[in-house]
Amino acid sequence: MNAPIPRQGTKGERTRSRILDSAMELFSRSGFYAVSLRDIAAHAGMTHAGLLHHFPGKDDLLIQVLARREAVAAEQAGSSESDLEPEELLSRHLDQITLNMGTPGLVGLFVKVSGEASDPAHPAHDYFVQRYRRLRKRTAWLLSILFDRATPPIKHDPHAVAQQLLALVDGLQTQWLLDPEQVDMRASVVAFLTQLGLDLEPDDRSHP
């Protein structure tokens, strides 16, 4: 499991952080349904009642864990993306894939729970529906600019390619978790983008 975010703040905030670290690890290892709040409390070194003081239920805890995972990814990616050129933004996303390869616990969490969340009754179903809608829209926007700037302009449908790219990343994550020595997620994504006609920087083509 990846190292937790350094704990700061009040005692209550540090306790919540410890609970989220434990839940993140157990959910990524066993999935949502197989883990109980008592399991998480024991892993965090506290009582079941103590955990309930901070989180009213497992559904709420799961959503907080997922939001925390995205916060970890945003922190790893560095500064705000709002003022970045599309080319730099694409480079940051490729770097994020490399960083993900150092955090198998976080990758496993999303692979396992997102699969479970295909069930409409799952507490994270709406979270993932909205997340993928947001990712498709954001990725299509980025690709549309990069396609227009290419020489010559690339004629692929950015919305269709956005779906393909997200599906590629999701599939690569599963393959990488199963056989990490044989699957280079970043290199595979770079190869896909290059085949589309995007002229990536040389260091993106050779990044380990």
Side-chain angles (χ1 to χ4, degrees):
M1 184 65 184
N2 57 292
I5 298 175
R7 300 187 182 99
Q8 300 176 348
T10 67
K11 180 179 179 181
E13 289 169 342
R14 293 194 299 271
T15 300
R16 285 176 59 87
S17 181
R18 190 169 79 249
I19 293 169
L20 289 170
D21 287 341
S22 295
M24 187 180 292
E25 181 170 351
L26 294 180
F27 286 152
S28 64
R29 182 191 306 166
S30 304
F32 175 74
Y33 291 118
V35 176
S36 70
L37 287 179
R38 293 184 185 278
D39 294 332
I40 296 168
H43 192 277
M46 61 191 309
T47 65
H48 182 223
L51 185 150
L52 291 175
H53 176 73
H54 295 278
F55 295 96
K58 195 168 73 162
D59 292 2
D60 175 70
L61 181 55
L62 174 62
I63 299 304
Q64 294 294 324
V65 165
L66 295 172
R68 181 187 177 95
R69 190 271 182 185
E70 293 208 69
V72 169
E75 181 176 319
Q76 290 173 336
S79 61
S80 170
E81 300 176 347
S82 60
D83 57 349
L84 297 179
E85 285 294 309
E87 292 80 4
E88 176 62 20
L89 190 54
L90 176 61
S91 179
R92 292 288 184 92
H93 287 322
L94 291 173
D95 289 343
Q96 183 60 50
I97 293 173
T98 302
L99 289 170
N100 286 347
M101 293 173 69
T103 58
L106 291 176
V107 175
L109 169 68
F110 258 54
V111 168
K112 191 177 294 291
V113 178
S114 63
E116 293 179 340
S118 61
D119 178 357
H122 193 282
H125 178 79
D126 289 342
Y127 173 91
F128 279 102
V129 168
Q130 295 303 319
R131 179 177 184 270
Y132 276 110
R133 287 177 180 172
R134 184 173 69 251
L135 286 175
R136 287 193 299 270
K137 181 178 180 180
R138 177 75 169 169
T139 304
W141 166 82
L142 176 60
L143 290 171
S144 68
I145 297 175
L146 294 173
F147 288 174
D148 286 343
R149 290 186 178 183
T151 306
I154 297 171
K155 299 301 184 181
H156 295 297
D157 178 356
H159 296 279
V161 174
Q163 290 185 339
Q164 294 164 8
L165 180 56
L166 293 174
L168 173 64
V169 172
D170 284 354
L172 286 169
Q173 287 183 149
T174 298
Q175 293 184 55
W176 175 75
L177 287 168
L178 291 168
D179 197 0
E181 297 300 320
Q182 298 298 317
V183 178
D184 186 330
M185 292 193 288
R186 191 184 197 279
S188 295
V189 171
V190 168
F192 174 76
L193 294 173
T194 301
Q195 289 167 8
L196 291 173
L198 289 175
D199 185 18
L200 302 179
E201 292 298 321
D203 59 344
D204 281 337
R205 292 193 181 106
S206 60
H207 199 289

